[in-house]
Amino acid sequence: MRAVVMKFGGSSVIDGPAIDRVVSIVDRERTAGSAPVVVVSALGGVTDSLLALADGARTARKPLIAEALKSLTDRHFAEAARVAPSTAWLKDALQGHLDELRTALSAAIDTGGLAPSQADVVAAAGELLSSRIVAAAMEQRGLPAVWVDARDAIVTDETYTRATPLPEETAQASAALLQPVIDAGKIPILGGFIGRTVDGHTTTLGRGGSDYSAALVGSAIGAAEIQIWTDVDGMLTADPRIVADAEVVSHLSFVEAAELAYFGAKVLHPSTIFPAVSRNIPVRILNSHRPDGSGTLITAEPPVRSRPFAALACKRGITVIDITSTRMLMAHGFLRRVFEAFERNATAVDVVTTSEVSVSVTIDDNRRGADIVADLLEIADVTVEEQMAILTVVGERLTTHSALAARVIGALTGFPLRMISQAASRRNVTIVLPEAYLAPAMMHLHRELFAVAEPAR
Ligand code: ADP
Ligand code: ASP
Ligand code: MG
């Protein structure tokens, strides 16, 4: 049987009509002869509300919490009544998750703080609730759905709020849990984003992590395809919130997709591609609002396309740190000490450029910025610039056509480019510039590089 993982994001399950569409999409896949495994995000906006609740619990704003809890409860029960009016078990199941949520929040108020592990119990409620509702909606429409607790499938470390899945344990647990359900001709439904430590504590994989859950599960069961159903027609040639006429890229290589995700194309969580690559499973990005589109197909093979580039991606809120050696030379060991400062403060570096005596790096998580700078000042002069942005052009052809990088830089003449980098993979050219220039630079670059339409496939 051809197992297909189908992941539906928050906007694809935002309300009753959206959930009905999901049921139809899964039904169609099953009728076509596949064995679907369904992974769902929290109902649109719910994770944001839960994180706000967790914040409220930290500062013990009791009335606000009670009000927010009530509105979350009402919303889930209302959608449940709409899509699964006669599923007897659903109310109790939802109430169980809501009670767990309430307990975590009350404990936080009583003790004057929310432990990180409890913060994840709060964040995880969204996916537990939505997966129950979607499972019930499937059952209501006569599909053989079986709700599965995703925490039994995804085993993680203890880095609460952005836990890392343990690959072997997760592969084993997911296969052991899901394969028997598939073999029995049933459809497992589970929440994305959530997992559990070996010791049994609930964890979450970081914002947007449901894509990653889908890929982990797909890899564990050796799925034929991993489908990411969202609210756009596929991976677009640029962020559609900046470039209104961005077009769908019909085919991407795994490496191109991974780089686009890493450099900010939100439609895919940056870790999604790795589990797919490990078992060479094609990933497809599809629009749940327009299920007949062909979307974007992501495979190992380099795509054949008329355009020289795949797409643009961008990230805002970047901090640039310039580090200049005080001894006026890049002495042996200098770079090691620079990177140790970032490692000690558990902060990932995105872009790096060097010149004779200085190194510039970017980080997108500036929470430990002050500690990093203090460490660096022991060996170097340091300047920090905030409100910067990264703009990246990705395409396999950059590896073989060196003139293409020059075309990218040339097209941006007149913009204040702060850093320019092309790493060893040479599949991207990355530019750092002030955030205020990002939108005009992306629009301009898109016009210059993507004017030729891609032929329909
Ligand atoms: P979901 O809730 O389905 O996971 P997300 O909001 O996480 O959806 O991702 C989809 C959004 O990603 C789109 O609505 C779009 O605004 C944004 N996005 C940013 N860059 C791109 C891109 N290059 N292609 C498609 N979408 C993109
Ligand atoms: N619900 C989670 C979030 O909003 C995970 C996801 O949607 O992928 O970040
Ligand atoms: Mg997402």
Side-chain angles (χ1 to χ4, degrees):
M1 193 68 147
R2 180 178 181 272
V4 172
V5 176
M6 307 177 78
K7 177 260 166 178
F8 295 90
S11 67
S12 301
V13 290
I14 198 160
D15 55 18
I19 294 172
D20 280 339
R21 267 197 304 276
V22 166
V23 178
S24 303
I25 292 168
V26 174
D27 190 17
R28 188 178 70 165
E29 187 69 51
R30 187 163 180 271
T31 310
S34 303
V37 173
V38 178
V39 176
V40 295
S41 292
L43 307 190
V46 166
T47 306
D48 288 336
S49 307
L50 289 168
L51 296 180
L53 260 178
D55 247 14
R58 272 188 207 102
T59 48
R61 282 177 299 199
K62 243 181 180 167
L64 279 185
I65 290 176
E67 202 179 303
L69 252 180
K70 178 165 182 336
S71 92
L72 272 174
T73 304
D74 291 350
R75 178 172 173 196
H76 284 92
F77 277 113
E79 297 309 344
R82 231 165 264 163
V83 297
S86 48
T87 311
W89 56 264
L90 182 57
K91 270 193 180 162
D92 283 350
L94 295 181
Q95 197 55 58
H97 296 308
L98 289 162
D99 288 346
E100 207 182 338
L101 172 62
R102 192 185 309 272
T103 308
L105 292 168
S106 321
I109 292 169
D110 293 344
T111 58
L114 192 68
S117 59
Q118 290 303 298
D120 265 354
V121 170
V122 173
E127 268 68 10
L128 291 168
L129 293 163
S130 66
S131 56
R132 292 281 196 184
I133 295 175
V134 172
M138 302 246 174
E139 204 179 293
Q140 181 84 38
R141 293 261 297 264
L143 288 168
V146 175
W147 181 80
V148 170
D149 190 334
R151 295 171 297 182
D152 296 334
I154 309 287
V155 187
T156 76
D157 70 5
E158 293 179 355
T159 320
Y160 296 106
T161 72
R162 46 192 167 99
T164 303
L166 308 178
E168 271 162 36
E169 288 84 344
T170 296
Q172 264 173 25
S174 290
L177 196 66
L178 301 173
Q179 201 58 56
V181 181
I182 299 168
D183 292 344
K186 302 202 164 139
I187 306 174
I189 319 287
L190 61 156
F193 181 55
I194 63 177
R196 195 183 268 137
T197 65
V198 175
D199 292 343
H201 297 290
T202 297
T203 51
T204 62
L205 307 183
R207 294 309 303 268
S210 295
D211 302 335
Y212 192 15
S213 302
L216 288 164
V217 161
S219 153
I221 59 169
E225 187 167 292
I226 296 160
Q227 300 176 350
I228 306 292
W229 289 87
T230 183
D231 61 353
V232 284
D233 287 334
M235 178 70 79
L236 304 173
T237 48
D239 188 326
R241 292 163 296 186
I242 296 178
V243 178
D245 58 352
E247 290 173 28
V248 180
V249 186
S250 52
H251 187 190
L252 287 169
S253 69
F254 281 138
V255 184
E256 287 175 332
E259 295 206 352
L260 287 166
Y262 180 76
F263 285 109
K266 189 186 170 222
V267 69
L268 267 192
H269 182 278
S271 304
T272 313
I273 294 300
F274 301 108
V277 171
S278 73
R279 294 193 65 175
N280 197 16
I281 303 171
V283 176
R284 219 181 260 281
I285 306 175
L286 295 151
N287 189 346
S288 69
H289 304 266
R290 281 200 281 206
D292 292 328
S294 51
T296 297
L297 176 65
I298 307 168
T299 62
E301 294 79 39
V304 178
R305 66 166 73 93
S306 58
R307 289 192 179 113
F309 303 99
L312 307 179
C314 65
K315 262 194 200 178
R316 288 190 165 88
I318 297 295
T319 300
V320 174
I321 306 179
D322 291 320
I323 306 141
T324 304
S325 166
T326 33
R327 298 201 195 102
M328 291 313 286
L329 77 167
M330 297 278 253
H332 174 71
F334 178 71
L335 282 180
R336 178 174 52 77
R337 294 193 62 187
V338 166
F339 287 108
E340 272 171 4
F342 291 91
E343 194 188 338
R344 256 197 306 281
N345 292 291
T347 298
V349 163
D350 284 335
V351 185
V352 183
T353 58
T354 65
S355 68
E356 194 189 355
V357 292
S358 68
V359 191
S360 298
V361 306
T362 71
I363 55 176
D364 72 357
D365 177 358
N366 196 20
R367 281 176 299 179
R368 305 281 294 271
D371 297 332
I372 294 170
V373 170
D375 282 1
L376 290 170
L377 280 172
E378 289 175 14
I379 52 164
D381 291 331
V382 181
T383 57
V384 176
E385 269 179 289
E386 293 178 352
Q387 292 180 334
M388 304 294 282
I390 291 177
L391 173 56
T392 302
V393 185
V394 171
E396 289 280 356
R397 233 183 279 174
L398 278 162
T399 57
T400 45
H401 294 63
S402 51
L404 288 177
R407 217 179 121 192
V408 174
I409 314 293
L412 288 171
T413 305
F415 285 97
L417 309 187
R418 188 58 185 67
M419 291 165 68
I420 299 173
S421 127
Q422 190 177 22
S425 89
R426 286 183 292 139
R427 286 183 182 87
N428 74 70
V429 175
T430 296
I431 279 138
V432 179
L433 76 176
E435 207 176 281
Y437 289 92
L438 175 65
M442 194 181 220
M443 286 190 266
H444 178 72
L445 201 54
H446 191 265
R447 254 192 322 271
E448 292 291 311
L449 305 183
F450 292 86
V452 190
E454 213 175 348
R457 295 193 324 140

